[in-house]
Amino acid sequence: MNEQPKPKKQIGAPMNRVDARQKVTGAATYSAEYQLPNMTYAVLVGSTVTKGRLTGIDTKAAERAPGVLAVITHLNAPKPPSPKPEGKDPSQPQTQGNPLQVFNDDKIRFNDQPIAVVVADSWERARYAAGLVQAQYAKEAHQTNLEANADKAFLPTAAKKNPKHPMNDYQRGQVDAYKTGAVKLESEYVIPTEVHHPMELQAITAHWEAPDRLTLYDKTQGTLATRRDFAKQWNLPEENVKVIATYVGGAFGNALHSWPHESAAILAAKVVNRPVKLMLTREQMFTMVGYRPYTWQKLGMSATPDGKITGITHESIGQTSTYEEFTEATLAQTRMMYQSPNVTTRYRLAALDIGSPIWMRGPGEATGAFALESAMDEMAYLLNLDPLEFRLRNYTDEDPEKNKPWSTKFLKECYKLGADRIGWSKRQLKPGSLRDGDWLIGYGMGVGTFGAHRGAATVGAQLLPNGTVLLQCATTDIGPGTGTAMTQIAADTLGISPDKIKFELGNSSFPKAVTQGGSSTVNSVGPATQEACLALKDKLRTLAGAAFSTAKAEDITFEGGQTVMRNDANGKLPLQIGLRNNPSVKVSYSDILRQNGQQNVSATVEAKPGGEGQKYSMYSFSVHFAEVRVHQLTGEVRVSKLVSCADAGTIVNEKTAGNQMKGGAVGGIGMALMEHARIDDRFGRYVTKDFADYHVPVHADSPAVEVAFVNQPDPHVNALGTKGIGEIAIIGVAPAIANAVFNATGKRIRELPITPDKLI
Amino acid sequence: MNQFQYVRPTKQQAAIEAVAKDATATFIAGGTNLVDLMKRGVMTPQKLVDINRLPLTRIDADPGKLRIGALALNSTVADDKQVRARQPLLALALNAGASAQLRNMATVGGNMLQRTRCSYFYDTTMPCNKREPGTGCGALEGINRMHAIFGFSDKCIAVHPSDMSVALVALDATVQVSGPKGNRSIPFAELHRLPGDMPQKDTTLEPGELITAVDVPDGPFTKHVHYQKVRERASYAFALLSVAAALDLDSNNIIKAARLAMGGVAHKPWRLTAAEQALVGKPATEETFRQAATVAMQGAKAFKHNAYKLQLGPNTIIQALKTAASAA
Amino acid sequence: MNPEHDTPGSAHDEARRSFLKQSSLLTAMALVPGPLVQAASAELDEKVAAVFEKIPLKLEVNGIKHKLSVEPRTTLLDLLRENLNLTGTKKGCDYGQCGACTVHVDGQRVNSCLSFAVMHEGKKITTIEGLADGDKLHPMQEAFIKHDGFQCGYCTPGQIMSAVACIREGKADSEGEIREYMSGNICRCGAYSNIVAAIQEVKGGGQKV
């Protein structure tokens, strides 16, 4: 018998991660961990003022310090051949990769802006010398407080220029209809600045392998975006710049942009003509690699006494920098989640003297959902209705914003799954009804949604002579398990075991793909993997000759390969290609190659979305149910139970997808209860500088998060049926907790985080 | 970080001399705070005298007291059988601080001597009289939600961050010190100072003086004790405010003796003796605790962002006493 | 142990002090304009510094004995990552606030970022690279894989080193105790539920860790 047992279906199986062994043994190599000969170390010097001009910078002592190779400032920095002009192109809808040019002029735009970089032969020496650089400034008055600048808030330039831009004011039905509603509320909500803070500090190793060839080992979510930015900056052909990000130690959005430290490291490497490693400090992670912007929101809502929403007006002012206009979809969920004949949204920006924000997990949608889902809870109380029932009464069966059918929507199923698991029936509508000693117990829910985005992606597939398949794609993996999911998809498509498949990513030289962000990776790279594998089979079919001429790709089977033992002379069965419906037809792989004079067989295929987005409105959905305990004397809040349910289409790997949902829930606990980056506006400088001041959840803050997936394929997003998980995992978690706190205490906290001082 | 000289004496006298004769020298033990401060340029010693080879790690269970060596690790003390039996409040306070890893590094002496976590102290570009006398207090008009409500001055409103010290001050501990002029004992309540006009001075130790041990006298507080720490997450965070409470109850639940101290409210661990007196002779009821909490808060004054401590303080005292009274 | 570093006032100490004096003289000279003087003194500073600013250190890391020469200001973490190429131990904050740098020193879990390497003279260090027995993974590593106790993987070595110690310390008897005693290891991806499951399995399995 030559037949191998038919491999079991991998899509949906809880397969262990393909890179797990590297990660648990310390062998996974992150961007500051490459060993290059003649390595040098760079440390940034930051401005100590918030706005103004550098009038002098004394680098003598630093230059003289032991081991120092260079001190680079705006006075001596080589200018990249085509530095981008300051500020982003206002015609672009969103922040594009326009990094602040470092050492380009004497202007200070935010506190801790890099004003110098010191390069030395050791990290200790570079850090010491960086402390010796002395700068003088002509200070100017700065603005770092959003509320003090709310009166200067403006419509994003892109919206002003383009009336169809999504950041324009939105109107359905009557303007501000809620004001005349039967039952109405009007509440203001604040999300403070939150910082991504992946555990890996932002790091880059820059190496000019030749005067016109640059290799970057960089923490980035998009190897191609990073390549494009720095190729452009140095006026190099893109193929001369190589970006490697095999492992990325978390990012949550902050590696979606090119940042000043990357420019600084590349400049430094040019100057010293040696590889330069630059790792930011935790303090610098607050100031120069983005954050979730401080956002003020006002939400007005009206409903009929029997619980039908009649009007919603949602306004927000988000923070941006003075040199880029950062926008995000804070108001998107409000336009499409609930049935309301009248909806008004108004989005504004306030430009402050702080570095640019960047999308942070769930981005604007998570910010907006805090207001919308809190307001839904407030309205349910005004109506004396169960908040779940209130949501059901306003459920939308088609997209009320775009007037299109949903591609799929199983949110009701999510509600049911979640309500059962949390024990929603235990919940009492009256706040403060349940307690355990001094702990008040409450239940709350919050809903999340995010577009099921898909972009173009290309995957290269090669069948190697030993019967293994190598797949390559320039996409990255910041933690969700991209390589694992792709291996499963390839295994099912090819009908071979996952251990014979290797999926390589995180390298700009590989076939191009979307940046990892916006929950779009599996939606985009998944189909490309699938199609590349199908093309590979098809190619084999063609090469195999006449016996296979009438077969379809799905009829091709793989048998054998070097790992299968047999009693033949060399102990190994050569890889054979067979026909599913006619087991007697076989041809060995080596024969195919020999007949065609080839080394191996490969196929590279681009997969991209078609017109499905015109026909359907495509979203992932989630609902989060929280049980909290609030200490009535100390005001401490503990999330004792959290159930997250998602309609994310097909679940490729229930283990890694579940983990991603749990992680989003933990991120939501951080948002709800502790995360708050504070600036002392007198100085324009953060007083939260590290994990002692800026709290993120620890083990003790996390309950055992329960996850449930509806796991129904969406036939429209792609052939796999996936819709995306990363964002909906966090969107709606913070309001679920805030609503549970209200249910426990009767206190409505509209300004996050919910710290003990707000509850006593 | 600047370069520094590093020496590792094996004799106590040599260590003391090394620091006493060099104003730029400092002792290092666990390093969990000093190394952090050196990385940020807040402290810039030119010489580090590593005292980890000195024989100061023992925990001696003497009659009437425990003598805990200054170099005993926080984790060792917290898990020590004698400590748990005779001074359970100390073990609770130790375990409320930092993380398992840090408690494996931090020593008892070093824990007492940790510097404030005030953000202005930690940022060398900000004004701070403690770090750089004469530059002003950044927190006074700044973001002061973590700051003092007792015993502050217009020069400094920082708080002492140690949990262990709150228990030790409640337990009437005594610090054993050895210095260039010989040995002396300091009642724990007198080890830390209020900022006054010299916030740069955290303690009453003289240059070169080395803490060698802390003595914790036996008392009746082996059962009804509690350390209540309120923080912004469930673990691994400095206190917004904390309370060490110890009660001695008779068979009728009448309080025979009481100890009470607060953390996160002053430049030193804050003993509440008047509140203790208000407890003695009264039944261990919530009403009694409420009255004591009112006494405890007399004289408290808040700043722009820490007014919540005026309410959190008494609430936490009540909670700590309730838990202590019901501890079995 | 090198007795030279044991006593203040030793030969090393004196040499270091004269180096410092000389160094400040050179600094003063360098203030005088003249690129040549500057270059010469910088070169000398550099060479003198290289000799005097490092001190010998003996360490055993993952069973391998090392004789090193390090600056006192080099932390154990930086020594492992930059000098010994053991990059499995991670830098996540550098201030003892995240646990990514957790290693075992003489069997105890500590934050390697918060101590100077020279303070560990003669000690035995175990890092994530030394946990497995050759190709055979440690049971905790296996459990992390099975329960998917990570996402990006950056905090993972620290979590695993801490988890092993947590069981050895006898602080893994309940879910609550594990969560408290693992709180010194932050996972921003939020894989806490899975990490706790992995620890519970290893603890429940009763294998020697």
Side-chain angles (χ1 to χ4, degrees):
Chain A
M1 277 277 290
N2 293 343
E3 284 294 315
Q4 278 181 272
K6 196 175 167 222
K8 63 177 181 184
K9 191 169 171 334
Q10 292 301 327
I11 294 176
M15 194 175 104
N16 291 338
R17 283 172 198 257
V18 294
D19 52 4
R21 193 180 174 97
Q22 283 75 17
K23 286 180 176 177
V24 302
T25 56
T29 305
Y30 299 81
S31 53
E33 298 172 352
Y34 287 83
Q35 307 296 319
L36 303 174
N38 295 315
M39 186 72 90
T40 68
Y41 297 80
V43 171
L44 293 173
V45 180
S47 163
T48 60
V49 306
T50 301
K51 191 179 181 186
R53 288 185 183 279
L54 272 167
T55 54
I57 188 158
D58 182 356
T59 58
K60 279 195 207 75
E63 283 161 15
R64 291 207 62 267
V68 170
L69 301 165
V71 181
I72 302 164
T73 71
H74 70 289
L75 298 174
N76 64 354
K79 304 295 177 217
S82 58
K84 283 175 228 159
E86 185 185 327
K88 65 180 287 293
D89 177 359
S91 68
Q92 293 294 325
Q94 296 175 320
T95 311
Q96 300 296 307
N98 276 347
L100 177 83
Q101 285 305 302
V102 285
F103 322 134
N104 199 41
D105 56 29
D106 61 359
K107 200 173 166 193
I108 303 299
R109 298 158 185 85
F110 61 89
N111 207 305
D112 206 30
Q113 174 189 319
I115 57 168
V117 63
V118 177
V119 190
D121 59 1
S122 82
W123 140 248
E124 289 84 359
R125 288 169 152 195
R127 178 176 56 183
Y128 170 64
L132 300 176
V133 175
Q134 297 286 328
Q136 291 82 43
Y137 307 90
K139 274 199 239 180
E140 293 166 26
H142 61 256
Q143 298 296 328
T144 52
N145 186 297
L146 183 127
E147 268 146 21
N149 288 276
D151 58 337
K152 298 189 208 66
F154 56 91
L155 186 69
T157 311
K160 277 181 206 157
K161 291 195 164 186
N162 175 4
K164 290 193 171 161
H165 192 279
M167 294 299 153
N168 276 294
D169 292 358
Y170 169 80
Q171 188 58 56
R172 173 159 96 230
Q174 254 183 299
V175 178
D176 295 336
Y178 80 95
K179 288 183 175 170
T180 56
V183 184
K184 65 178 174 184
L185 65 82
E186 190 179 280
S187 298
E188 292 183 25
Y189 304 88
V190 170
I191 294 245
T193 299
E194 295 166 4
V195 184
H196 308 69
H197 281 313
M199 295 318 296
E200 182 195 21
L201 295 158
Q202 228 79 0
I204 178 169
T205 304
H207 185 201
W208 288 91
E209 303 203 33
D212 64 346
R213 296 194 79 84
L214 177 63
T215 299
L216 303 175
Y217 305 85
D218 198 7
K219 183 186 184 89
T220 175
Q221 290 170 249
T223 56
L224 298 173
T226 300
R227 180 176 77 169
R228 177 199 67 209
D229 285 351
F230 294 110
K232 197 171 158 202
Q233 188 179 54
W234 288 90
N235 201 20
L236 296 170
E238 288 204 2
E239 60 271 22
N240 283 24
V241 179
K242 188 157 137 188
V243 179
I244 293 167
T246 310
Y247 290 96
V248 179
F252 314 105
N254 85 337
L256 286 170
H257 195 41
S258 292
W259 298 112
H261 73 277
E262 294 169 287
S263 297
I266 295 167
L267 263 176
K270 192 81 179 165
V271 170
V272 301
N273 197 24
R274 286 167 66 173
V276 166
K277 185 191 291 193
L278 191 158
M279 183 180 242
L280 294 187
T281 63
R282 198 44 81 177
E283 287 98 322
Q284 290 167 337
M285 296 289 285
F286 284 87
T287 59
M288 59 182 85
V289 288
Y291 52 88
R292 187 194 301 281
Y294 187 107
T295 302
W296 170 92
Q297 300 177 72
K298 187 163 117 182
L299 204 140
M301 185 185 287
S302 61
T304 60
D306 66 346
K308 288 278 188 189
I309 298 172
T310 54
I312 308 176
T313 294
H314 191 171
E315 300 168 88
S316 85
I317 304 174
Q319 166 190 345
T320 189
S321 67
T322 57
Y323 55 95
E324 283 175 290
E325 280 188 24
F326 168 83
T327 60
E328 56 183 352
T330 310
L331 307 176
Q333 183 161 332
T334 300
R335 297 195 288 263
M336 47 63 77
M337 182 57 85
Y338 299 108
Q339 200 60 261
S340 172
N342 307 296
V343 174
T344 307
T345 67
R346 301 185 187 98
Y347 181 77
R348 299 290 181 272
L349 293 176
L352 301 176
D353 298 307
I354 306 175
S356 297
I358 197 66
W359 301 288
M360 177 166 160
R361 194 172 194 179
E365 288 84 344
T367 301
F370 171 61
L372 176 65
E373 292 298 305
S374 293
M376 288 298 288
D377 201 67
E378 294 191 46
M379 180 56 86
Y381 273 97
L382 286 177
L383 297 165
N384 205 26
L385 261 183
D386 181 305
L388 176 52
E389 174 59 26
F390 178 49
R391 285 176 175 85
L392 287 170
R393 288 189 192 179
N394 294 282
Y395 197 81
T396 50
D397 290 315
E398 65 167 30
D399 182 348
E401 180 190 10
K402 297 177 191 147
N403 291 314
K404 283 180 199 168
W406 305 114
S407 55
T408 49
K409 180 177 178 183
F410 297 99
L411 182 57
K412 264 185 193 159
E413 288 75 1
C414 292
Y415 287 168
K416 169 113 184 48
L417 277 173
D420 288 349
R421 290 189 184 209
I422 196 83
W424 189 252
S425 56
K426 291 194 296 264
R427 178 184 183 276
Q428 305 290 310
L429 190 60
K430 187 172 176 292
S433 303
L434 298 173
R435 65 164 61 211
D436 173 12
D438 287 309
W439 293 94
L440 303 168
I441 299 171
Y443 294 88
M445 66 179 288
V447 180
T449 186
F450 196 82
H453 301 305
R454 179 182 170 190
T458 307
V459 168
Q462 280 182 68
L463 181 61
L464 303 175
N466 65 1
T468 66
V469 175
L470 175 66
L471 298 156
Q472 290 180 319
C473 179
T475 192
T476 59
D477 181 44
I478 60 173
T482 306
T484 310
M486 295 310 132
T487 300
Q488 290 172 275
I489 291 167
D492 277 5
T493 313
L494 294 170
I496 62 175
S497 163
D499 59 15
K500 297 242 179 81
I501 297 167
K502 186 169 187 194
F503 190 92
E504 292 183 338
L505 46 65
N507 188 324
S508 63
S509 312
F510 295 160
K512 67 182 185 193
V514 290
T515 287
Q516 182 155 74
S519 305
S520 65
T521 307
V522 173
N523 293 351
S524 312
V525 182
T529 297
Q530 208 175 20
E531 290 182 29
C533 291
L534 288 172
L536 189 67
K537 279 181 143 189
D538 201 45
K539 211 159 190 179
L540 278 166
R541 180 185 63 83
T542 311
L543 293 173
F548 290 80
S549 60
T550 59
K552 295 181 183 140
E554 55 265 34
D555 294 329
I556 304 290
T557 60
F558 292 86
E559 295 161 25
Q562 288 196 347
T563 54
V564 176
M565 301 301 288
R566 224 181 68 139
N567 292 331
D568 59 5
N570 59 8
K572 284 171 186 169
L573 176 77
L575 177 65
Q576 295 188 324
I577 312 304
L579 269 187
R580 195 189 305 282
N581 53 8
N582 188 355
S584 62
V585 178
K586 284 192 181 65
V587 55
S588 95
Y589 183 43
S590 49
D591 287 344
I592 296 177
L593 294 179
R594 198 167 44 241
Q595 283 160 20
N596 292 278
Q598 293 185 344
Q599 295 298 310
N600 57 42
V601 176
S602 63
T604 299
V605 178
E606 183 186 46
K608 50 187 175 187
E612 57 274 10
Q614 302 301 315
K615 282 192 233 160
Y616 298 100
S617 197
M618 304 189 290
Y619 287 89
S620 281
F621 296 93
S622 64
V623 60
H624 310 276
F625 289 90
E627 177 194 272
V628 303
R629 298 159 74 87
V630 183
H631 197 282
Q632 59 176 359
L633 283 172
T634 64
E636 294 160 287
V637 181
R638 301 282 181 261
V639 179
S640 43
K641 213 169 169 187
L642 197 52
V643 177
S644 290
C645 303
D647 161 24
T650 301
I651 300 305
V652 176
N653 182 324
E654 123 196 339
K655 188 182 284 195
T656 54
N659 197 349
Q660 212 181 344
M661 288 296 291
K662 292 172 190 174
V666 171
I669 292 173
M671 260 183 107
L673 300 184
M674 60 195 81
E675 295 187 40
H676 186 177
R678 292 183 174 85
I679 285 180
D680 184 330
D681 293 320
R682 297 172 301 167
F683 305 100
R685 205 166 158 88
Y686 282 102
V687 295
T688 46
K689 297 185 184 307
D690 55 31
F691 285 137
D693 302 315
Y694 185 90
H695 292 135
V696 300
V698 296
H699 273 277
D701 293 296
S702 169
V705 180
E706 280 187 51
V707 175
F709 293 110
V710 176
N711 201 6
Q712 289 289 331
D714 185 313
H716 303 296
V717 177
N718 60 32
L720 290 160
T722 62
K723 295 207 286 187
I725 297 171
E727 321 303 326
I728 55 162
I730 191 171
I731 300 168
V733 177
I737 293 168
N739 295 339
V741 167
F742 179 80
N743 185 238
T745 64
K747 287 178 181 150
R748 180 67 65 183
I749 308 300
R750 300 186 182 90
E751 181 167 354
L752 295 181
I754 306 170
T755 43
D757 52 301
K758 293 177 182 163
L759 290 172
I760 55 166
Chain B
M1 191 190 298
N2 57 293
Q3 268 291 18
F4 52 82
Q5 282 178 270
Y6 172 78
V7 292
R8 193 161 50 217
T10 49
K11 299 276 191 303
Q12 186 170 306
Q13 213 44 44
I16 289 167
E17 272 172 30
V19 174
K21 71 180 185 189
D22 183 349
T24 70
T26 192
F27 298 117
I28 186 165
T32 55
N33 191 205
L34 180 59
V35 176
D36 175 26
L37 291 165
M38 288 172 72
K39 285 181 178 183
R40 307 183 204 230
V42 176
M43 291 179 75
T44 54
Q46 302 295 309
K47 180 193 271 185
L48 286 190
V49 179
D50 181 349
I51 56 172
N52 285 300
R53 300 292 161 111
L54 306 185
L56 300 173
T57 57
R58 286 170 56 102
I59 301 172
D60 289 315
D62 297 341
K65 70 166 195 293
L66 291 175
R67 170 160 286 191
I68 302 170
L71 291 176
L73 297 177
N74 286 191
S75 54
T76 309
V77 178
D79 285 343
D80 184 85
K81 279 197 181 113
Q82 290 288 335
V83 172
R84 295 182 83 90
R86 287 161 69 171
Q87 301 296 352
L89 180 61
L90 176 59
L92 289 173
L94 279 164
N95 278 331
S99 67
Q101 290 95 312
L102 289 169
R103 293 193 294 268
N104 274 345
M105 305 172 77
T107 63
V108 163
N111 187 324
M112 291 174 205
L113 298 182
Q114 61 182 304
R115 312 293 310 268
T116 182
R117 303 300 305 202
C118 175
S119 305
Y120 299 90
F121 175 70
Y122 258 75
D123 183 344
T124 55
T125 75
M126 297 273 209
C128 173
N129 287 322
K130 183 183 279 296
R131 191 188 63 248
E132 209 178 333
T135 54
C137 172
L140 200 58
E141 304 285 328
I143 294 178
N144 45 35
R145 59 195 305 277
M146 298 296 289
H147 290 75
I149 52 172
F150 289 114
F152 50 80
S153 72
D154 61 355
K155 300 282 190 297
C156 180
I157 63 170
V159 299
H160 195 260
S162 164
D163 292 301
M164 179 196 75
S165 296
V166 182
L168 287 176
V169 78
L171 294 168
D172 271 341
T174 304
V175 179
Q176 300 300 333
V177 167
S178 186
K181 295 174 194 158
N183 301 336
R184 65 179 180 123
S185 303
I186 308 175
F188 199 87
E190 292 168 25
L191 174 67
H192 299 94
R193 358 175 4 264
L194 291 179
D197 286 336
M198 286 209 297
Q200 68 272 27
K201 244 174 106 52
D202 292 352
T203 68
T204 55
L205 292 176
E206 298 295 330
E209 279 193 323
L210 177 72
I211 295 173
T212 56
V214 60
D215 292 346
V216 195
D218 285 347
F221 308 110
T222 53
K223 185 176 167 194
H224 295 295
V225 300
H226 188 62
Y227 188 74
Q228 183 83 33
K229 181 176 182 182
V230 183
R231 43 191 160 180
E232 288 185 341
R233 64 182 177 195
S235 186
Y236 200 19
F238 291 98
L240 293 171
L241 192 142
S242 65
V243 172
L247 295 171
D248 182 22
L249 304 178
D250 73 9
S251 53
N252 297 318
N253 228 27
I254 302 297
I255 300 166
K256 290 197 287 182
R259 296 289 175 76
L260 209 53
M262 288 173 100
V265 294
H267 196 259
K268 59 190 286 185
W270 197 248
R271 178 81 179 262
L272 300 163
T273 44
E276 290 171 5
Q277 280 155 22
L279 290 165
V280 174
K282 307 249 175 61
T285 62
E286 189 155 342
E287 183 48 35
T288 300
F289 302 153
R290 194 171 300 281
Q291 285 167 11
T294 306
V295 173
M297 295 306 291
Q298 279 168 12
K301 186 180 165 298
F303 294 89
K304 189 175 176 188
H305 302 110
N306 67 352
Y308 72 93
K309 289 192 180 182
L310 301 181
Q311 187 59 53
L312 184 60
N315 285 7
T316 309
I317 289 171
I318 294 164
Q319 182 58 32
L321 287 167
K322 272 167 65 174
T323 313
S326 61
Chain C
M1 184 164 55
N2 187 336
E4 192 178 73
H5 301 112
D6 236 356
T7 335
S10 68
H12 168 79
D13 200 38
E14 290 307 317
R16 183 62 173 63
R17 192 167 299 128
S18 63
F19 154 66
L20 286 175
K21 280 183 197 157
Q22 186 192 12
S23 191
S24 37
L25 178 68
L26 290 169
T27 306
M29 277 169 63
L31 294 175
V32 179
L36 203 62
V37 177
Q38 282 188 12
S41 58
E43 176 77 2
L44 188 55
D45 243 13
E46 171 68 23
K47 284 184 176 158
V48 172
V51 174
F52 288 95
E53 296 196 335
K54 289 189 175 178
I55 63 175
L57 169 66
K58 284 185 204 163
L59 273 183
E60 186 178 318
V61 184
N62 299 332
I64 298 168
K65 292 194 169 105
H66 293 270
K67 271 185 166 177
L68 304 159
S69 174
V70 300
E71 290 184 354
R73 63 182 166 182
T74 299
T75 61
L76 178 58
L77 173 62
D78 289 325
L79 178 85
L80 292 170
R81 284 175 64 84
E82 304 300 337
N83 300 49
L84 301 181
N85 193 14
L86 292 168
T87 55
T89 305
K90 303 301 183 193
K91 185 180 282 190
C93 72
D94 220 15
Y95 302 132
Q97 299 167 348
C98 79
C101 68
T102 302
V103 300
H104 297 174
V105 175
D106 288 346
Q108 301 287 307
R109 54 171 158 167
V110 300
N111 298 116
S112 62
C113 73
L114 274 193
S115 59
F116 296 116
V118 290
M119 294 168 70
H120 298 289
E121 168 76 32
K123 302 265 176 75
K124 288 183 178 166
I125 317 290
T126 307
T127 72
I128 190 71
E129 291 93 343
L131 197 61
D133 179 9
D135 281 345
K136 190 176 161 12
L137 295 181
H138 184 277
M140 191 64 76
Q141 291 171 314
E142 295 281 11
F144 266 64
I145 294 176
K146 177 178 165 192
H147 292 277
D148 207 32
F150 48 87
Q151 289 175 36
C152 79
Y154 197 79
C155 75
T156 312
Q159 297 278 359
I160 291 174
M161 296 310 286
S162 202
V164 169
C166 188
I167 292 181
R168 287 182 188 163
E169 290 161 8
K171 305 291 190 193
D173 285 339
S174 68
E175 186 188 324
E177 191 177 43
I178 292 169
R179 289 191 188 280
E180 171 59 30
Y181 280 84
M182 286 299 292
S183 280
N185 291 83
I186 294 175
C187 172
R188 188 60 162 154
C189 296
Y192 293 133
S193 301
N194 294 0
I195 294 170
V196 171
I199 297 171
Q200 283 180 307
E201 176 170 302
V202 176
K203 165 75 184 170
Q207 300 121 299
K208 189 178 179 300
V209 295

